Amino acid sequence: NAGVTQTPKFRVLKTGQSMTLLCAQDMNHEYMYWYRQDPGMGLRLIHYSVGEGTTAKGEVPDGYNVSRLKKQNFLLGLESAAPSQTSVYFCASSSGQRNEQFFGPGTRLTVL
Amino acid sequence: AQSVSQHNHHVILSEAASLELGCNYSYGGTVNLFWYVQYPGQHLQLLLKYFSGDPLVKGIKGFEAEFIKSKFSFNLRKPSVQWSDTAEYFCAVWGGATNKLIFGTGTLLAVQP
């Protein structure tokens, strides 16, 4: 039981490049989330999904897109990376909206 | 706007000292409360949670937290810290109109041997 996995673990991009972060969970959770973690700011919700085929905006959605084509996968895309998107990105999943969220190991992204 | 406040940004303690980390939230009504821990270089892990019932909640590794509804607080405590407790601690609250889990900004705990 791997829980929540994320790929890649590290990535360096140049301004304007695009990339996709993959999150996978094997717990059959309906809810999935993407957060970014910045020093002194805690975790901020980027986008989330309440089930396969659905997505919704979180607190800081600008510059990101997401897709949930399969229940177990939640993809986060950066169409045109900016230095302000340098951060650590965490994916999480939960069985219910109010329940405990299980986190992945994170992706450290640097945009030059 | 609904918010979660963690008063201590950085705490340094010696081993065997007692720990209390503050957490306050800004909205009333039914809430679910969580404390997560992030060890250096690792992902967030759940320490404990409160949904209802006994307001004194016991979690893993000897941690506990007390929900005081009148003070909108959910402070984390441990009677005697160890060097291995060095980590960042996040309070999180679900409730109110946002329908989302809101995290505090975190408290970095350093325990000196």
Side-chain angles (χ1 to χ4, degrees), chain A residues 3-92:
Chain A
V4 180
T5 58
Q6 292 182 233
T7 52
K9 288 187 169 50
F10 302 94
R11 187 72 186 268
V12 178
L13 291 178
K14 294 181 179 178
T15 297
Q17 287 185 317
S18 63
M19 76 163 294
T20 301
L21 281 66
L22 172 64
C23 175
Q25 52 97 2
D26 61 2
M27 296 174 282
N28 202 34
H29 285 166
E30 289 293 336
Y31 294 79
M32 296 187 74
Y33 313 84
W34 276 108
Y35 293 91
R36 59 177 290 171
Q37 183 182 28
D38 302 290
M41 303 189 76
L43 275 79
R44 292 181 293 168
L45 183 64
I46 304 171
H47 286 280
Y48 65 102
S49 167
V50 301
E52 181 179 320
T54 72
T55 63
K57 293 180 180 179
E59 184 185 356
V60 288
D62 294 341
Y64 304 94
N65 57 74
V66 288
S67 64
R68 183 107 181 262
L69 299 179
K70 293 182 179 180
K71 185 176 183 178
Q72 64 268 34
N73 295 340
F74 195 30
L75 278 64
L76 177 71
L78 284 73
E79 290 179 347
S80 179
S84 61
Q85 294 177 305
T86 293
S87 187
V88 180
Y89 292 86
F90 286 100
C91 176

